[in-house]
Amino acid sequence: MRELSSFFFWAVFLGLGTVHLQGQVFRYTELSSYNSKAQAEAMLKTERAVAKRFHDLMNAYRTQKKLAALEWNEACFLAAHNHNQWMAKRETLSHEQNARISEFTGINPGDRLNYVLQGSKLTMSWSAENCLQSYVEDMASISVDKVAADALEQWRNSSGHNANMLGKGHASCGTAFRIVDGWVWGTTLFAYPAN
């Protein structure tokens, strides 16, 4: 079953500057290009570190609930990254992309995953998506652990998001964060089968 949950929360824990790759979206075949740019961009490196830390925390949470850990999925990560770019540009929290701007990669999570997979030999289907938006006032206090832990806590406290994180129909997932001008955008895309 494909479940969508959206949740808007305000938090006072960040306040970062703009990323130079604003609005850039990627396909799976461009993963090495993304990784190269992420090594050169401090904020992209931070966003990626938050995503990986969140993944570890979510798997620890799943393990506490006697559920299998989910594999990290780079295609889902890129679909989540691309969706965050769109949400940040539109300054809106949504599971559906309804404005055809340069960051548009598909109306729904399945469309966005298919966009990422075009040109690759990977096949998978999405099983759930979580999205969030928050605001941080103090950029000096930002930490990878705090942003990841706050996202996990927000999603745990929302029944739909929590059900997605604890879903048994997932084999893998990818989470991405976009941090710009104090705003944090986050998306986790869950998929099956594992790539």
Side-chain angles (χ1 to χ4, degrees):
M1 180 161 101
R2 294 181 175 154
E3 295 182 38
L4 295 177
S5 317
S6 55
F7 185 67
F8 181 81
F9 69 90
W10 292 91
V12 180
F13 68 96
L14 257 170
L16 297 174
T18 305
V19 175
H20 290 50
L21 289 178
Q22 214 169 356
Q24 190 165 357
V25 296
F26 295 88
R27 295 185 192 274
Y28 188 80
T29 55
E30 301 167 314
L31 181 61
S32 61
S33 174
Y34 172 87
N35 286 334
S36 294
K37 291 174 184 185
Q39 290 302 312
E41 282 287 338
M43 187 52 67
L44 280 178
K45 197 181 276 190
T46 298
E47 291 168 351
R48 180 93 160 160
V50 171
K52 292 289 193 150
R53 181 64 182 136
F54 173 85
H55 185 77
D56 292 344
L57 292 172
M58 185 189 66
N59 273 334
Y61 177 51
R62 286 179 60 86
T63 301
Q64 289 174 350
K65 300 292 186 179
K66 310 283 190 243
L67 297 168
L70 300 178
E71 291 182 33
W72 177 260
N73 184 312
E74 292 286 4
C76 288
F77 163 77
L78 289 174
H81 164 84
N82 292 346
H83 189 53
N84 290 342
Q85 297 284 23
W86 181 88
M87 289 192 298
K89 175 78 175 235
R90 297 286 299 160
E91 296 180 347
T92 189
L93 177 65
S94 178
H95 287 285
E96 291 189 1
Q97 294 185 8
N98 56 9
R100 298 197 187 271
I101 58 176
S102 60
E103 292 79 7
F104 178 83
T105 57
I107 293 171
N108 62 48
D111 294 339
R112 295 190 295 273
L113 182 58
N114 288 336
Y115 173 90
V116 168
L117 295 175
Q118 284 178 0
S120 78
K121 295 183 182 195
L122 297 176
T123 59
M124 66 190 75
S125 297
W126 73 284
S127 50
E129 180 182 72
N130 284 351
C131 296
L132 67 80
Q133 175 188 17
S134 65
Y135 186 74
V136 179
E137 291 184 3
D138 181 13
M139 289 299 289
S141 71
I142 186 174
S143 78
V144 167
D145 288 337
K146 179 139 177 57
V147 176
D150 285 351
L152 180 71
E153 191 62 24
Q154 294 298 325
W155 279 337
R156 280 177 57 166
N157 290 326
S158 164
S159 61
H161 290 98
N162 193 52
N164 285 346
M165 289 193 302
L166 299 177
K168 295 178 181 177
H170 319 311
S172 63
C173 68
T175 301
F177 290 88
R178 173 88 165 93
I179 304 168
V180 59
D181 296 334
W183 289 98
V184 177
W185 307 90
T187 301
T188 298
L189 185 63
F190 300 89
Y192 65 92
N195 56 347

